[in-house]
């Protein structure tokens, strides 16, 4: 692997770890635990996201007593599913995957292809963060080629 290519992938690894750390920090700030929707009565009956310890972290009414807009069933399921506990588990899994890529790549393919496949996995992982500051177009995977290869291998 060339020095330029190694630097690019090292930068991508560092950038991905920063994005994961940011997600983790936000999840911990939000309470680090699962949320469930409950109907609460005080001071008025409303839907609320309640932490496992019983504290309310958000509800369907804003400070001005107007609906905040997340009363729909789909929004409730989404918000409940992507709670801090779930995000922390996701961050942990992504870190473990990144840690496993360098030593596994040579074992999978004892050719230059192994390094390219490891880079491709990292690029695809980074695609989820493409709208964040610091994302580089050079990290964008060639999705067209990957789709063609997947279809041709069926």
């Amino acid at each position: 692997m060339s020095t330029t290519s190694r630097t690019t992938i090292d930068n991508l690894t560092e950038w991905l770890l920063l994005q994961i750390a940011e997600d983790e920090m936000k999840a911990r700030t939000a309470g680090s635990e699962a949320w469930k929707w409950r109907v609460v009565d005080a001071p008025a009956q409303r839907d609320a996201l309640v932490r496992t310890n019983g504290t309310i972290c958000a509800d369907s009414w804003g400070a001005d007593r107007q609906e905040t807009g997340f009363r729909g069933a789909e929004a409730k399921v989404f918000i409940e599913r992507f709670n801090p506990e779930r995000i922390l588990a996701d961050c942990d899994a992504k870190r473990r995957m990144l840690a496993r890529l360098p030593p596994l790549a040579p074992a999978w393919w004892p050719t230059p292809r192994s390094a390219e496949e490891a880079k491709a996995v990292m690029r695809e992982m980074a695609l989820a963060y493409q709208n964040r500051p610091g994302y580089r177009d050079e990290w964008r995977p060639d999705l067209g080629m990957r789709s063609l290869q997947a279809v041709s291998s069926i």
Side-chain angles (χ1 to χ4, degrees):
M1 186 184 311
S2 72
T3 305
T4 303
S5 182
R6 180 75 251 166
T7 301
T8 298
I9 210 66
D10 287 345
N11 290 341
L12 175 55
T13 303
E14 289 171 22
W15 185 81
L16 270 169
L17 289 170
L18 285 172
Q19 304 318 300
I20 294 166
E22 182 179 330
D23 287 352
E24 181 181 43
M25 179 200 62
K26 289 181 179 182
R28 290 195 188 288
T29 300
S32 305
E33 50 194 34
W35 298 343
K36 295 289 181 195
W37 283 102
R38 303 277 187 263
V39 175
V40 295
D41 291 323
Q45 190 175 38
R46 67 200 187 283
D47 292 334
L49 274 174
V50 180
R51 294 182 179 102
T52 53
N53 68 7
T55 61
I56 296 173
C57 53
D59 66 27
S60 58
W61 295 96
D64 59 359
R65 305 301 297 146
Q66 299 297 313
E67 284 196 60
T68 57
F70 58 78
R71 275 179 119 19
E74 294 85 8
K76 288 179 184 179
V77 169
F78 179 82
I79 292 167
E80 183 177 277
R81 182 168 293 157
F82 291 94
N83 63 69
E85 183 179 64
R86 160 65 169 70
I87 298 302
L88 291 173
D90 187 64
C91 291
D92 185 49
K94 287 176 182 176
R95 278 196 190 97
R96 287 193 320 268
M97 285 187 277
L98 284 173
R100 291 180 64 131
L101 280 175
L104 282 178
W108 288 336
W109 300 282
T111 66
R113 179 180 173 194
S114 61
E116 290 306 312
E117 285 299 318
K119 287 191 287 186
V121 168
M122 291 173 58
R123 286 183 174 125
E124 291 184 30
M125 187 183 289
L127 197 57
Y129 300 106
Q130 68 182 324
N131 295 323
R132 291 194 181 174
Y135 182 83
R136 299 181 190 169
D137 280 337
E138 69 193 69
W139 294 338
R140 189 171 305 286
D142 184 355
L143 297 176
M145 286 304 294
R146 297 288 286 181
S147 297
L148 288 174
Q149 289 169 351
V151 170
S152 66
S153 68
I154 295 177

